[in-house]
Amino acid sequence: MAAPQLIVVSPRGSGTPLLTEITTALGYSSYGTMSEARPAAGHERPGPGPGEVYPLLTAAYGQDRAVRLLRGRDGERDELSTAFQEAVSAVWRVWWTRLGQPVTLPSPVDPALEGRLARVPDGELPRLLPGRGCWYVNGLDLQRAEAGFLRAWHQAGGKPPVIFHHRDVRDRIISQIRLLSGPADRVGSLPEHLIYRDIVSALPTMDARITLALTDPAFPGMEEARRCQWLSHHPAVTVITHEELAGPAHGGTTEARQEALSRLLHATGHPSRSLNPPCSGTGDGDGLEVGVWRRHFTPAHERLFARHHSDLLPRPSVLPGGGN
């Protein structure tokens, strides 16, 4: 049975649009950092399924009001729709907070409603989320995610499934620099991005910007990458790299892409089948190319990276007999 909810941890600059195309093709709506992703033709977001409305209304408003809303006459359907959408907004916000994600904008819903849903036991909250959602987050820090959520995930045997999607950190550095050097409206509302856009934009050359990224411990994404490393080792987490998903269009291989898609299907509970949605972009200047860092790093940059961040490169597997 396909998992109704997924959590994808994809650090900034990991080429997330490629994975978003795939989860959308599997019928998941994208929320969180990829919430603006639009479903492809033929994959429109479905409404709430049977049995999804009443449990959420009951948790949000109590049984008596939930029953009144559902039994309302046709002229009162607008009230039901409004109440349901407000409950959805609140439960999504509670879920986002339990995942340890930053909330940078004021809540659009009644604080009392959000407070009631925040008291829902951790193991029950995913069942209140309507539809099939894929929750994209930039990190899953064990110090920031709610302890109750982590305990419930552990006790459920790693459910909802967690996918760790990451990329060579050197390519992520280039992606971050390009983002912070670009138009202000693409940076978003995270304070660290707003501040570092000013800093990066003030530097005159790409060389200087890379040097900053490699030597400033607070540069966006670097500590985040360290706090995500546990995901690479946990047996219940499925690890998929951008280099695997890139395919020939972006400097990868067809074989690696197909193998990664098979792992994703298995992790999400979908039956094995042919799944090969087209890759985004052109592979030329779209930010998804594998190994783009090689065109920008100087030998001095490589030495700085080795000194400060070599721990962020994946270690080669040790094969039986001592070979690598």
Side-chain angles (χ1 to χ4, degrees):
M1 179 180 176
Q5 304 290 332
L6 306 179
I7 300 170
V8 171
V9 184
S10 186
R12 298 176 184 90
S14 293
T16 316
L18 291 185
L19 183 56
T20 306
E21 288 181 344
I22 297 165
T23 57
T24 299
L26 291 173
Y28 292 99
S29 298
S30 298
Y31 302 119
T33 59
M34 298 301 292
S35 60
E36 295 183 356
R38 295 291 179 260
H43 297 287
E44 298 304 316
R45 288 178 178 170
E52 292 184 336
V53 176
Y54 177 70
L56 178 54
L57 291 178
T58 301
Y61 304 109
Q63 185 176 22
D64 290 346
R65 189 182 176 196
V67 171
R68 287 199 302 272
L69 287 167
L70 290 169
R71 290 180 177 175
R73 296 184 295 273
D74 290 343
E76 299 170 328
R77 290 297 171 181
D78 286 346
E79 181 184 0
L80 170 61
S81 177
T82 298
F84 180 72
Q85 289 305 320
E86 288 179 352
V88 168
S89 296
V91 77
W92 285 345
R93 190 175 174 92
V94 170
W95 179 245
W96 189 246
T97 302
R98 287 190 180 175
L99 289 173
Q101 302 307 300
V103 177
T104 60
L105 300 174
S107 174
V109 299
D110 179 2
L113 172 59
E114 189 173 324
R116 284 194 295 273
L117 289 170
R119 293 191 291 272
V120 172
D122 294 276
E124 296 178 16
L125 188 67
R127 291 193 285 271
L128 295 182
L129 296 164
R132 296 173 64 190
C134 183
W135 295 80
Y136 281 89
V137 298
N138 290 136
L140 193 54
D141 186 349
L142 294 177
Q143 301 301 315
R144 294 181 181 177
E146 284 196 9
F149 158 73
L150 292 170
R151 281 194 295 266
W153 181 76
H154 168 75
Q155 291 166 0
K159 304 297 181 184
V162 172
I163 311 297
F164 181 36
H165 171 251
H166 67 98
R167 184 181 189 179
D168 187 311
V169 68
R170 293 164 292 189
D171 278 346
R172 289 195 343 238
I173 288 171
I174 300 300
S175 178
Q176 283 287 87
I177 290 172
R178 286 175 170 172
L179 172 68
L180 296 171
S181 304
D185 60 357
R186 294 185 57 194
V187 172
S189 58
L190 287 175
E192 64 184 85
H193 275 196
L194 296 173
I195 298 302
Y196 269 87
R197 183 180 183 276
D198 295 339
I199 295 172
V200 170
S201 298
L203 296 174
T205 65
M206 187 66 165
D207 182 284
R209 293 170 180 179
I210 295 174
T211 298
L212 170 76
L214 293 173
T215 55
D216 184 343
F219 188 81
M222 300 309 291
E223 280 307 307
E224 189 175 67
R226 287 187 168 82
R227 293 193 296 267
C228 283
Q229 286 187 300
W230 71 270
L231 291 153
S232 295
H233 311 299
H234 198 286
V237 175
T238 299
V239 180
I240 294 177
T241 69
H242 171 72
E243 288 74 19
E244 292 173 314
L245 286 185
H250 303 291
T253 68
T254 300
E255 294 76 15
R257 179 173 167 83
Q258 287 298 332
E259 201 278 331
L261 291 175
S262 296
R263 294 204 312 276
L264 180 64
L265 288 171
H266 177 76
T268 57
H270 286 79
S272 297
R273 59 187 176 91
S274 176
L275 177 68
N276 192 27
C279 289
S280 292
T282 64
D284 182 17
D286 58 10
L288 299 175
E289 181 183 353
V290 171
V292 68
W293 67 272
R294 298 179 186 279
R295 296 205 300 271
H296 298 281
F297 273 46
T298 65
H301 292 144
E302 293 187 41
R303 289 192 294 271
L304 284 173
F305 181 84
R307 184 186 310 162
H308 296 290
H309 305 296
S310 59
D311 60 307
L312 295 178
L313 289 178
R315 295 181 178 89
S317 300
V318 177
L319 302 176
N324 290 331

